[in-house]
Amino acid sequence: ASSVLYEAGHQSLANIAWAYSVANVEDGSLFNEQFVNVCVQKEHDFDYQGLRQLHQWNLWRKELKSDIVLPHDLGTRCYNEFMKQTLISSDLQKQVVSVLHSVGLIVDEEVQTKSGYVLDATFIHNGKVIGLEIDGPSHFIGKKKKGNTILKERQVANVDLIPLISVPYWEWSDLVSLEDKESYILNKID
């Protein structure tokens, strides 16, 4: 495995790390000090996408309570790149947030967590911060969540310790009246 790591391109390393993070499958024969050393050696080859993927891998290592993580400087560089996110509020998000307000919740939108993820909304329920993700079609293949959505939900719950509620676009689009939408939201919260 060692020669393969050194021969692998920087983006291949980031893709492999990210894929294992999504699958949540530990492989000590792959993710060891040697993997970290190769990442450090190729540090300046990674573009923003590779650095963002390595940040998510680093978060996964923390989820696992592993000692095998990126060194501080590279980890910080990955984190800083991950924090640079374009915030886009969709019409669907605006609709859902409007219903949250109509049921009496005080909502913060586009909230960046300590790990770097941006949540569509957060609110306090029973004294605890709850995250809300309004998941449009880009979050799914058919009705199955894509890897980036699966990883975000798991890492926000396990690293940031924020429970997440997901509102899939097809469930929301089936709701017609304000009463139906309020009932749906309240059921999701409880």
Side-chain angles (χ1 to χ4, degrees), residues 5-6 13 30-43 46 54 57-58 61 66-72 74:
L5 286 176
Y6 287 102
L13 290 172
L30 176 60
F31 300 120
N32 52 32
E33 290 295 334
Q34 193 169 29
F35 179 85
V36 171
N37 290 338
V38 171
C39 288
V40 169
Q41 288 176 5
K42 297 182 182 219
E43 174 178 355
F46 291 108
L54 287 177
W57 177 83
N58 218 31
R61 304 309 296 170
S66 172
D67 293 334
I68 306 296
V69 295
L70 298 173
H72 179 74
L74 179 54

Short mmCIF file of all heavy atoms in Angstrom, two decimals, residues 5-6 13 30-43 46 54 57-58 61 66-72 74:
data_model
loop_
_atom_site.label_atom_id
_atom_site.label_comp_id
_atom_site.label_asym_id
_atom_site.label_seq_id
_atom_site.Cartn_x
_atom_site.Cartn_y
_atom_site.Cartn_z
N LEU A 5 0.38 4.71 -2.35
CA LEU A 5 0.11 6.04 -1.79
C LEU A 5 1.02 7.09 -2.42
O LEU A 5 0.57 8.17 -2.80
CB LEU A 5 0.31 6.04 -0.28
CG LEU A 5 -0.75 5.37 0.56
CD1 LEU A 5 -0.35 5.38 2.03
CD2 LEU A 5 -2.10 6.03 0.38
N TYR A 6 2.29 6.79 -2.54
CA TYR A 6 3.23 7.76 -3.09
C TYR A 6 3.00 8.00 -4.57
O TYR A 6 3.24 9.09 -5.06
CB TYR A 6 4.68 7.31 -2.83
CG TYR A 6 5.07 7.47 -1.39
CD1 TYR A 6 5.11 6.38 -0.53
CD2 TYR A 6 5.36 8.73 -0.87
CE1 TYR A 6 5.44 6.53 0.81
CE2 TYR A 6 5.69 8.89 0.47
CZ TYR A 6 5.73 7.78 1.30
OH TYR A 6 6.05 7.94 2.62
N LEU A 13 -5.93 10.78 -3.68
CA LEU A 13 -5.83 10.63 -2.22
C LEU A 13 -7.03 11.26 -1.52
O LEU A 13 -7.63 10.67 -0.62
CB LEU A 13 -4.54 11.27 -1.69
CG LEU A 13 -3.24 10.57 -2.04
CD1 LEU A 13 -2.05 11.44 -1.60
CD2 LEU A 13 -3.17 9.20 -1.39
N LEU A 30 -4.73 1.47 5.46
CA LEU A 30 -4.66 2.58 4.51
C LEU A 30 -4.46 3.91 5.22
O LEU A 30 -3.59 4.70 4.86
CB LEU A 30 -5.93 2.63 3.66
CG LEU A 30 -6.07 3.79 2.68
CD1 LEU A 30 -4.92 3.80 1.67
CD2 LEU A 30 -7.40 3.71 1.95
N PHE A 31 -5.28 4.14 6.23
CA PHE A 31 -5.22 5.43 6.93
C PHE A 31 -4.34 5.31 8.16
O PHE A 31 -4.79 5.00 9.25
CB PHE A 31 -6.63 5.91 7.28
CG PHE A 31 -7.48 6.09 6.06
CD1 PHE A 31 -8.64 5.37 5.88
CD2 PHE A 31 -7.10 6.98 5.06
CE1 PHE A 31 -9.41 5.53 4.75
CE2 PHE A 31 -7.86 7.15 3.93
CZ PHE A 31 -9.02 6.42 3.77
N ASN A 32 -3.07 5.57 7.93
CA ASN A 32 -2.06 5.47 8.97
C ASN A 32 -1.11 6.66 8.84
O ASN A 32 -1.37 7.58 8.05
CB ASN A 32 -1.32 4.13 8.85
CG ASN A 32 -0.79 3.90 7.44
OD1 ASN A 32 -0.43 4.84 6.73
ND2 ASN A 32 -0.75 2.65 7.01
N GLU A 33 -0.04 6.65 9.59
CA GLU A 33 0.92 7.76 9.54
C GLU A 33 1.46 7.97 8.13
O GLU A 33 1.72 9.09 7.72
CB GLU A 33 2.07 7.51 10.52
CG GLU A 33 1.68 7.60 11.98
CD GLU A 33 1.26 9.01 12.40
OE1 GLU A 33 1.68 10.00 11.78
OE2 GLU A 33 0.46 9.11 13.35
N GLN A 34 1.62 6.89 7.40
CA GLN A 34 2.15 6.99 6.05
C GLN A 34 1.18 7.78 5.14
O GLN A 34 1.61 8.61 4.35
CB GLN A 34 2.39 5.59 5.48
CG GLN A 34 3.22 5.61 4.23
CD GLN A 34 3.65 4.21 3.86
OE1 GLN A 34 2.96 3.24 4.17
NE2 GLN A 34 4.79 4.10 3.21
N PHE A 35 -0.11 7.52 5.28
CA PHE A 35 -1.11 8.27 4.51
C PHE A 35 -1.00 9.76 4.83
O PHE A 35 -0.99 10.60 3.94
CB PHE A 35 -2.53 7.75 4.82
CG PHE A 35 -3.60 8.50 4.09
CD1 PHE A 35 -3.95 8.15 2.81
CD2 PHE A 35 -4.25 9.57 4.70
CE1 PHE A 35 -4.93 8.85 2.11
CE2 PHE A 35 -5.23 10.28 4.03
CZ PHE A 35 -5.57 9.92 2.72
N VAL A 36 -0.92 10.07 6.11
CA VAL A 36 -0.81 11.47 6.53
C VAL A 36 0.46 12.09 5.97
O VAL A 36 0.45 13.22 5.46
CB VAL A 36 -0.86 11.58 8.08
CG1 VAL A 36 -0.53 12.99 8.55
CG2 VAL A 36 -2.23 11.15 8.59
N ASN A 37 1.58 11.37 6.03
CA ASN A 37 2.85 11.89 5.51
C ASN A 37 2.77 12.17 4.02
O ASN A 37 3.31 13.18 3.55
CB ASN A 37 3.99 10.92 5.81
CG ASN A 37 4.33 10.87 7.29
OD1 ASN A 37 4.04 11.80 8.04
ND2 ASN A 37 4.91 9.77 7.72
N VAL A 38 2.11 11.30 3.27
CA VAL A 38 1.96 11.53 1.83
C VAL A 38 1.11 12.78 1.59
O VAL A 38 1.42 13.59 0.72
CB VAL A 38 1.37 10.29 1.12
CG1 VAL A 38 1.02 10.60 -0.32
CG2 VAL A 38 2.35 9.13 1.20
N CYS A 39 0.05 12.95 2.36
CA CYS A 39 -0.78 14.15 2.24
C CYS A 39 0.03 15.40 2.52
O CYS A 39 -0.09 16.41 1.82
CB CYS A 39 -1.99 14.07 3.17
SG CYS A 39 -3.25 12.89 2.63
N VAL A 40 0.88 15.34 3.53
CA VAL A 40 1.73 16.49 3.87
C VAL A 40 2.70 16.77 2.72
O VAL A 40 2.90 17.93 2.33
CB VAL A 40 2.48 16.26 5.20
CG1 VAL A 40 3.54 17.32 5.43
CG2 VAL A 40 1.49 16.24 6.36
N GLN A 41 3.29 15.73 2.16
CA GLN A 41 4.23 15.91 1.06
C GLN A 41 3.56 16.53 -0.17
O GLN A 41 4.19 17.28 -0.91
CB GLN A 41 4.87 14.58 0.66
CG GLN A 41 5.87 14.07 1.67
CD GLN A 41 6.42 12.70 1.30
OE1 GLN A 41 6.13 12.17 0.24
NE2 GLN A 41 7.21 12.14 2.20
N LYS A 42 2.29 16.21 -0.37
CA LYS A 42 1.55 16.71 -1.54
C LYS A 42 0.66 17.91 -1.19
O LYS A 42 -0.17 18.33 -2.00
CB LYS A 42 0.70 15.58 -2.13
CG LYS A 42 1.55 14.42 -2.64
CD LYS A 42 0.72 13.34 -3.26
CE LYS A 42 1.64 12.21 -3.70
NZ LYS A 42 1.26 11.63 -4.97
N GLU A 43 0.86 18.46 -0.01
CA GLU A 43 -0.02 19.52 0.51
C GLU A 43 -0.25 20.64 -0.50
O GLU A 43 -1.37 21.12 -0.66
CB GLU A 43 0.57 20.09 1.80
CG GLU A 43 -0.18 21.28 2.34
CD GLU A 43 0.39 21.80 3.64
OE1 GLU A 43 1.33 21.19 4.20
OE2 GLU A 43 -0.11 22.84 4.10
N PHE A 46 -2.89 20.10 -3.53
CA PHE A 46 -4.34 20.04 -3.34
C PHE A 46 -4.98 21.36 -3.69
O PHE A 46 -4.52 22.42 -3.26
CB PHE A 46 -4.69 19.69 -1.89
CG PHE A 46 -4.33 18.28 -1.50
CD1 PHE A 46 -3.27 18.03 -0.65
CD2 PHE A 46 -5.06 17.20 -1.98
CE1 PHE A 46 -2.94 16.73 -0.27
CE2 PHE A 46 -4.73 15.90 -1.62
CZ PHE A 46 -3.67 15.67 -0.77
N LEU A 54 -10.28 16.65 2.46
CA LEU A 54 -9.38 16.25 3.55
C LEU A 54 -9.90 16.78 4.89
O LEU A 54 -9.73 16.12 5.92
CB LEU A 54 -7.95 16.73 3.30
CG LEU A 54 -7.20 15.96 2.21
CD1 LEU A 54 -5.82 16.58 2.01
CD2 LEU A 54 -7.08 14.48 2.54
N TRP A 57 -12.42 14.33 5.93
CA TRP A 57 -11.72 13.13 6.39
C TRP A 57 -11.20 13.35 7.81
O TRP A 57 -11.33 12.48 8.67
CB TRP A 57 -10.56 12.78 5.43
CG TRP A 57 -9.77 11.60 5.87
CD1 TRP A 57 -10.07 10.28 5.66
CD2 TRP A 57 -8.54 11.61 6.60
NE1 TRP A 57 -9.10 9.48 6.22
CE2 TRP A 57 -8.14 10.27 6.80
CE3 TRP A 57 -7.72 12.62 7.10
CZ2 TRP A 57 -6.98 9.92 7.48
CZ3 TRP A 57 -6.57 12.27 7.77
CH2 TRP A 57 -6.21 10.93 7.96
N ASN A 58 -10.62 14.52 8.04
CA ASN A 58 -10.08 14.84 9.37
C ASN A 58 -11.20 14.84 10.42
O ASN A 58 -11.01 14.35 11.53
CB ASN A 58 -9.38 16.20 9.32
CG ASN A 58 -8.13 16.25 10.16
OD1 ASN A 58 -7.44 15.26 10.35
ND2 ASN A 58 -7.83 17.43 10.66
N ARG A 61 -11.97 11.30 11.22
CA ARG A 61 -10.98 10.72 12.12
C ARG A 61 -11.30 11.13 13.57
O ARG A 61 -11.16 10.34 14.50
CB ARG A 61 -9.56 11.18 11.75
CG ARG A 61 -9.15 10.89 10.32
CD ARG A 61 -9.37 9.46 9.89
NE ARG A 61 -8.53 8.58 10.68
CZ ARG A 61 -8.61 7.26 10.68
NH1 ARG A 61 -9.51 6.64 9.94
NH2 ARG A 61 -7.81 6.54 11.43
N SER A 66 -9.71 8.82 16.54
CA SER A 66 -8.45 8.27 16.06
C SER A 66 -7.30 9.24 16.34
O SER A 66 -7.47 10.45 16.34
CB SER A 66 -8.54 8.04 14.54
OG SER A 66 -7.28 7.68 14.02
N ASP A 67 -6.12 8.67 16.56
CA ASP A 67 -4.91 9.48 16.69
C ASP A 67 -4.35 9.85 15.32
O ASP A 67 -3.46 10.69 15.22
CB ASP A 67 -3.83 8.71 17.47
CG ASP A 67 -4.24 8.50 18.92
OD1 ASP A 67 -5.03 9.32 19.45
OD2 ASP A 67 -3.77 7.51 19.53
N ILE A 68 -4.83 9.21 14.27
CA ILE A 68 -4.34 9.46 12.91
C ILE A 68 -5.19 10.59 12.32
O ILE A 68 -6.29 10.38 11.81
CB ILE A 68 -4.43 8.19 12.02
CG1 ILE A 68 -3.71 7.02 12.66
CG2 ILE A 68 -3.90 8.49 10.62
CD1 ILE A 68 -2.23 7.17 12.84
N VAL A 69 -4.65 11.80 12.41
CA VAL A 69 -5.30 12.99 11.86
C VAL A 69 -4.23 13.82 11.15
O VAL A 69 -3.03 13.57 11.30
CB VAL A 69 -5.99 13.84 12.96
CG1 VAL A 69 -7.14 13.08 13.59
CG2 VAL A 69 -5.00 14.29 14.01
N LEU A 70 -4.68 14.80 10.41
CA LEU A 70 -3.74 15.69 9.73
C LEU A 70 -2.99 16.52 10.76
O LEU A 70 -3.56 16.90 11.79
CB LEU A 70 -4.48 16.61 8.77
CG LEU A 70 -5.23 15.94 7.63
CD1 LEU A 70 -6.05 16.97 6.86
CD2 LEU A 70 -4.27 15.21 6.71
N PRO A 71 -1.73 16.87 10.48
CA PRO A 71 -1.01 17.75 11.39
C PRO A 71 -1.70 19.13 11.44
O PRO A 71 -2.42 19.50 10.51
CB PRO A 71 0.39 17.85 10.80
CG PRO A 71 0.34 17.25 9.46
CD PRO A 71 -0.93 16.44 9.35
N HIS A 72 -1.46 19.85 12.50
CA HIS A 72 -2.18 21.10 12.76
C HIS A 72 -2.18 22.06 11.57
O HIS A 72 -3.22 22.58 11.20
CB HIS A 72 -1.60 21.79 14.01
CG HIS A 72 -2.28 23.08 14.33
ND1 HIS A 72 -3.54 23.13 14.87
CD2 HIS A 72 -1.88 24.36 14.12
CE1 HIS A 72 -3.89 24.40 15.01
NE2 HIS A 72 -2.91 25.16 14.56
N LEU A 74 -1.67 21.64 8.27
CA LEU A 74 -2.47 21.17 7.13
C LEU A 74 -3.94 21.09 7.51
O LEU A 74 -4.81 21.49 6.73
CB LEU A 74 -1.96 19.81 6.63
CG LEU A 74 -2.74 19.20 5.45
CD1 LEU A 74 -2.84 20.17 4.28
CD2 LEU A 74 -2.09 17.89 5.04
#
